[in-house]
Amino acid sequence: MATVATEPHPTANDAFGPAAALSCRECGHRYELGPRFACEFCFGPLEIAYEFDSTRVTRDAIARGPANMWRYADLLPVPRNVAELPNMNPGLTSLVAADRLAGELGMRSLHVKDDSANPTHSFKDRVVAMAVEAARTFGFTTLSCSSTGNLAGAIGAAAARAGFESCVFIPAGLERGKVVMAAVYGGKVVALDGTYDDVNRFCSELIGDPAGEGWGFVNVNLRPYYAEGSKTLAYEIAEQLGWRLPEQIIVPIASGSQLTKIDKGFQELIKTGLVEDRPYRIFGAQASGCGPVAGAWERGHDVVQPVKPDTIAKSLAIGNPADGPYVLDVCARTGGAVAHVDDGQIVDAMKLLARTEGVFAETAGGVTTGVLRSLLAEGTLDPEAETVVLNTGDGLKTLDAVDSGVTATLAPSLDAFKDAGLL
Amino acid sequence: MATVATEPHPTANDAFGPAAALSCRECGHRYELGPRFACEFCFGPLEIAYEFDSTRVTRDAIARGPANMWRYADLLPVPRNVAELPNMNPGLTSLVAADRLAGELGMRSLHVKDDSANPTHSFKDRVVAMAVEAARTFGFTTLSCSSTGNLAGAIGAAAARAGFESCVFIPAGLERGKVVMAAVYGGKVVALDGTYDDVNRFCSELIGDPAGEGWGFVNVNLRPYYAEGSKTLAYEIAEQLGWRLPEQIIVPIASGSQLTKIDKGFQELIKTGLVEDRPYRIFGAQASGCGPVAGAWERGHDVVQPVKPDTIAKSLAIGNPADGPYVLDVCARTGGAVAHVDDGQIVDAMKLLARTEGVFAETAGGVTTGVLRSLLAEGTLDPEAETVVLNTGDGLKTLDAVDSGVTATLAPSLDAFKDAGLL
């Protein structure tokens, strides 16, 4: 099935812009661009290798691009005309200058990258946008995935927009907002009795089965393309800071892929000369109820022991994170850390972020903001350094996590209002 | 209390950019810029009159502006440095090329202006962003409003970001997502037993009472500033079409203000030479369960008889719409119409929009899309004309309107999946 390519396939090369090949992250073996995800020699994960065109990758060219992630098309495995194709066109979400939160935490400079403004209100729209383009090129007709909820919604919407069938698999018991959002676009949504890791195993079996013929599993057989979408978070943060890397960044860990791709994005910005080469520290954030990477970091291990998730941060509830070891590498190399906060701290942090900055984050945003607070308190984060914290999802999808409700219910009269003691 | 100004107050003029005065929509009487909303002579509503600076209002200058509504600051009553102030910075939401929906409806060109990408996921962020700047200038310390839900959330977030107190009033029984989103930012949320119109009356009383001292009611005493935010929908649509007015546009009607301000925005674009002067038709959309303006249109009346709302489109459930008569004027003048669809048609249209374009609209988006479909079927809308339909809110806030859920719940095994008959 596999052929080792020294020259990329010409058609694939047109469809994948600056992408030159797939490359094994473990042994470096190269493959031509195709719907493959694991090395045939060492079973390591494959990722995209590029040959960037330095005449196209300039600050000016990017500034002239569309107001979405396709402004970075020349740094991504997508065709040059990607902005004209039917796609959800996510990205270029706000980098909020979080001065009031910084004040409360005693920090000099803090920004919140708020990805809840994406079309289905999570960062997953970025990775799915990439997978859609790869699926189109490879001729897949159905988009599929294992999902903790946000991904299912992103696929439902993107499949509808681009004219694919979709069938997504979720663990039973997800938040209602996520289930409705996954289902409303008309694709199939199948709940499986088990954890996300059970759902993931199911999908791996389905890929090898004739029943999965013609199916693009965005986070399995399209994973090398899909995962590159997270690089756009790094590009946007740097551009929105005025083409400068932040000194510290706090990133949530589910599979761990997002964190490693943000590092890859920063490295590419340095290599292409878009930003100055200066040190940055990447910090990973997990929930205590699903903290396998944080546990490995604490114990100084370089392997990650799977756990059974039990946390309100369901979008991060991956007990066996595929990119866990790579996360440990990145955080160690950049001088960062991996930390965790419990459910109570998550909710407190969600409310802190809402109260100070008007950002209603998903539980995952409570995890990053909670870890920000915790690492500042213990002195691991530098309050004087320029810092970015990620909110990757939307509080409307995890309503049950916060107990907010009306202050009072009254008769519609001035007397009733004055008597209620609210003034 | 009032002084009639021939020259605008110099400080106010700096704070309000190109705004020159307040002007009565009925008798044309002018007032200096201040926290007033009704004419002292005829009780007509006041709106902003401008003196635009033609050297600043150019396509190039706008293109160089920020990727949010402040790119149009030189057309709005805000200070020139507005983009640097603490504000939610909404706007520049996607204009989706809805080719698949157009295909199903037999249309040549259709776009969906999807305002669910705003920070609190409705167009209300636009109008509140304007009110915040006016409240800052006037020295108000508390932001308040009567709201059907979306506005309450937008105020909660904007007050938190900008450091105001907030206390908002809603009718009891709103959707849970809207209530939680209003309350999570830490401001007060008071539910009143009654309809939106009862809540509105309550707020009018509170403004005249000492208890309301220092309060900016965004849709009452800040209304002239607040309402101008809706003009940015018109500007964005024209810019995103390549600086061209659409031939037909379908706009939801709650108070009716949004529709009249979109017309005002189009007129300003023509006057400033940003677009060619060509005819456009504006169509208003209401729910049958709260259709006072549609009823007046059908009967050929120029006054609007109040109704008691009974519809799932709660964000449009204003039984006594303040701008109803002006809506009738605009739709008649431009060759449009006002129409309504029932709750069943609203839900069908929400699902159609989701299935064809991946846009999960609020019930209000079901109203506009339903009216689009209905007016096409009866021949009132031209399927060959370039058309824009507005989605002003987010399906996540009206989850109960759609019955979408999982297709099946299964054991996590290939056999169970194959036996379920889903392939």
Side-chain angles (χ1 to χ4, degrees):
Chain A
M1 173 180 154
T3 55
V4 179
T6 47
E7 287 289 313
H9 189 280
T11 310
N13 198 33
D14 291 349
F16 294 112
L22 290 167
S23 164
C24 175
R25 190 142 49 164
E26 289 296 331
C27 74
H29 206 94
R30 280 165 82 95
Y31 300 85
E32 74 176 31
L33 293 161
R36 66 175 74 236
F37 57 102
C39 180
E40 300 203 337
F41 295 89
C42 74
F43 305 107
L46 302 183
E47 65 173 354
I48 309 284
Y50 295 93
E51 287 166 15
F52 296 125
D53 179 345
S54 61
T55 64
R56 299 181 65 92
V57 180
T58 67
R59 293 181 185 183
D60 280 352
I62 290 166
R64 283 193 302 271
N68 56 51
M69 66 185 264
W70 303 132
R71 66 203 279 111
Y72 311 107
D74 286 312
L75 292 161
L76 297 169
V78 292
R80 286 215 174 116
N81 69 337
V82 62
E84 297 155 31
L85 303 174
N87 194 298
M88 297 298 289
N89 304 326
L92 210 63
T93 56
S94 290
L95 185 71
V96 177
D99 296 341
R100 279 164 48 82
L101 179 55
E104 290 225 5
L105 298 176
M107 301 183 74
R108 189 182 58 79
S109 167
L110 177 65
H111 286 83
V112 178
K113 179 64 174 172
D114 185 13
D115 241 18
S116 65
N118 279 318
T120 69
H121 306 324
S122 87
F123 95 97
K124 291 291 186 185
D125 288 317
R126 298 178 184 270
V127 285
V128 168
M130 302 296 305
V132 161
E133 296 310 320
R136 217 191 308 264
T137 301
F138 297 139
F140 289 127
T141 52
T142 298
L143 294 181
S144 186
C145 69
S146 50
S147 170
T148 57
N150 280 326
L151 180 54
I155 287 188
R161 176 81 55 90
F164 287 87
E165 299 291 316
S166 70
C167 181
V168 297
F169 300 94
I170 58 176
L174 285 186
E175 300 95 336
R176 179 157 178 253
K178 289 184 184 164
V179 173
V180 173
M181 195 170 216
V184 74
Y185 306 105
K188 297 190 185 91
V189 180
V190 179
L192 299 179
D193 286 317
T195 65
Y196 172 80
D197 301 284
D198 297 322
V199 177
N200 218 7
R201 267 190 299 276
F202 168 88
C203 288
S204 299
E205 285 172 43
L206 183 51
I207 286 174
D209 192 276
E213 194 95 22
W215 288 34
F217 290 80
V218 302
N219 50 356
V220 189
N221 56 357
L222 294 172
R223 190 173 185 83
Y225 308 89
Y226 162 90
E228 295 295 284
S230 291
K231 292 195 308 177
T232 59
L233 280 163
Y235 304 152
E236 289 180 17
I237 289 167
E239 183 180 1
Q240 290 170 321
L241 287 176
W243 290 113
R244 188 172 68 235
L245 300 183
E247 294 175 272
Q248 303 178 137
I249 183 168
I250 296 100
V251 183
I253 300 171
S255 76
S257 170
Q258 182 184 75
L259 187 146
T260 66
K261 294 301 178 181
I262 286 175
D263 176 57
K264 188 180 181 185
F266 284 165
Q267 290 296 320
E268 289 173 351
L269 292 177
I270 293 170
K271 276 181 209 137
T272 54
L274 285 167
V275 300
E276 194 187 326
D277 186 358
R278 74 168 193 183
Y280 57 86
R281 301 166 74 200
I282 300 188
F283 298 82
Q286 293 205 295
S288 304
C290 184
V293 188
W297 179 269
E298 278 173 351
R299 290 188 292 272
H301 291 178
D302 56 5
V303 291
V304 173
Q305 200 72 33
V307 301
K308 197 168 160 58
D310 179 19
T311 170
I312 57 167
K314 294 187 185 180
S315 65
L316 305 183
I318 299 184
N320 189 12
D323 289 83
Y326 302 113
V327 167
L328 295 171
D329 287 350
V330 167
C331 293
R333 195 196 78 230
T334 63
V338 186
H340 60 93
V341 281
D342 65 29
D343 286 1
Q345 292 171 300
I346 293 169
V347 172
D348 284 350
M350 289 170 74
K351 290 184 177 175
L352 175 67
L353 187 57
R355 179 172 58 77
T356 54
E357 297 297 339
V359 172
F360 185 21
E362 210 203 63
T363 44
V367 171
T368 49
T369 306
V371 162
L372 166 71
R373 198 182 205 178
S374 160
L375 290 179
L376 279 167
E378 70 177 48
T380 306
L381 272 169
D382 177 2
E384 294 299 313
E386 184 164 61
T387 304
V388 173
V389 61
L390 259 60
N391 171 40
T392 53
D394 200 289
L396 276 177
K397 295 198 204 176
T398 57
L399 285 182
D400 289 331
V402 289
D403 53 3
S404 303
V406 297
T407 316
T409 301
L410 306 173
S413 84
L414 268 188
D415 285 345
F417 180 58
K418 289 178 181 174
D419 290 348
L422 297 174
L423 286 166
Chain B
M1 173 179 154
T3 55
V4 179
T6 47
E7 287 290 312
H9 188 280
T11 310
N13 198 34
D14 292 349
F16 294 113
L22 289 168
S23 164
C24 175
R25 190 140 55 162
E26 290 296 330
C27 72
H29 205 95
R30 281 165 80 96
Y31 299 84
E32 74 176 31
L33 294 161
R36 66 175 74 236
F37 57 102
C39 180
E40 302 204 336
F41 296 90
C42 75
F43 305 107
L46 302 184
E47 65 174 354
I48 309 284
Y50 296 93
E51 286 165 17
F52 296 126
D53 178 345
S54 61
T55 65
R56 299 181 66 92
V57 179
T58 67
R59 293 182 184 182
D60 280 352
I62 290 166
R64 284 193 301 270
N68 56 51
M69 66 186 264
W70 303 132
R71 66 204 279 111
Y72 310 107
D74 286 312
L75 292 161
L76 296 169
V78 292
R80 286 215 175 116
N81 69 337
V82 62
E84 296 154 33
L85 302 174
N87 194 299
M88 297 299 288
N89 303 326
L92 209 64
T93 56
S94 289
L95 185 71
V96 177
D99 296 342
R100 281 165 47 84
L101 179 56
E104 290 225 5
L105 298 176
M107 301 182 76
R108 188 182 59 78
S109 167
L110 177 65
H111 286 83
V112 178
K113 179 64 174 172
D114 184 13
D115 241 18
S116 64
N118 279 319
T120 69
H121 306 325
S122 88
F123 94 97
K124 292 291 187 185
D125 289 316
R126 297 176 185 270
V127 284
V128 169
M130 302 296 306
V132 161
E133 296 310 321
R136 219 191 307 264
T137 300
F138 297 138
F140 289 127
T141 52
T142 298
L143 294 181
S144 186
C145 69
S146 51
S147 170
T148 58
N150 280 326
L151 179 54
I155 286 188
R161 176 81 54 92
F164 288 87
E165 299 291 314
S166 70
C167 181
V168 298
F169 300 94
I170 58 175
L174 285 186
E175 301 94 337
R176 179 159 177 253
K178 289 184 184 165
V179 173
V180 174
M181 195 170 217
V184 75
Y185 306 105
K188 296 190 186 91
V189 180
V190 179
L192 299 179
D193 285 319
T195 64
Y196 172 79
D197 300 284
D198 296 322
V199 178
N200 218 7
R201 265 191 300 275
F202 169 87
C203 287
S204 300
E205 286 173 41
L206 184 51
I207 286 175
D209 192 275
E213 194 96 20
W215 289 34
F217 289 80
V218 302
N219 50 357
V220 190
N221 56 357
L222 294 173
R223 191 174 184 85
Y225 308 89
Y226 162 91
E228 296 294 283
S230 291
K231 293 194 309 177
T232 60
L233 280 163
Y235 303 152
E236 289 181 19
I237 289 167
E239 183 180 3
Q240 290 170 321
L241 286 176
W243 289 113
R244 189 170 69 235
L245 300 182
E247 294 175 274
Q248 303 177 138
I249 183 166
I250 296 99
V251 182
I253 300 171
S255 74
S257 169
Q258 183 183 72
L259 187 145
T260 65
K261 294 300 178 181
I262 286 175
D263 176 56
K264 186 178 183 185
F266 285 165
Q267 290 297 320
E268 289 174 350
L269 292 176
I270 293 169
K271 277 180 210 140
T272 55
L274 286 167
V275 301
E276 195 185 325
D277 186 359
R278 74 170 193 182
Y280 58 86
R281 301 166 73 200
I282 300 188
F283 297 84
Q286 293 204 296
S288 305
C290 184
V293 189
W297 179 268
E298 279 174 352
R299 290 189 291 273
H301 292 179
D302 57 6
V303 291
V304 173
Q305 198 73 34
V307 302
K308 196 167 161 61
D310 179 18
T311 171
I312 56 168
K314 294 186 186 180
S315 65
L316 304 183
I318 298 184
N320 188 14
D323 289 84
Y326 301 113
V327 166
L328 295 170
D329 286 350
V330 167
C331 293
R333 195 195 79 230
T334 64
V338 186
H340 61 92
V341 283
D342 66 29
D343 286 359
Q345 291 171 300
I346 292 169
V347 173
D348 285 352
M350 289 170 75
K351 290 184 177 174
L352 174 68
L353 187 57
R355 178 171 60 76
T356 54
E357 297 298 338
V359 172
F360 184 21
E362 210 202 65
T363 43
V367 170
T368 50
T369 307
V371 162
L372 166 72
R373 199 181 203 178
S374 159
L375 290 180
L376 280 167
E378 69 176 50
T380 306
L381 272 170
D382 177 2
E384 294 300 312
E386 185 164 61
T387 304
V388 173
V389 61
L390 259 61
N391 172 40
T392 52
D394 200 289
L396 276 176
K397 295 199 206 176
T398 58
L399 285 181
D400 289 332
V402 291
D403 53 3
S404 302
V406 297
T407 316
T409 301
L410 306 172
S413 84
L414 269 188
D415 285 347
F417 180 57
K418 289 178 181 173
D419 289 349
L422 297 174
L423 287 165

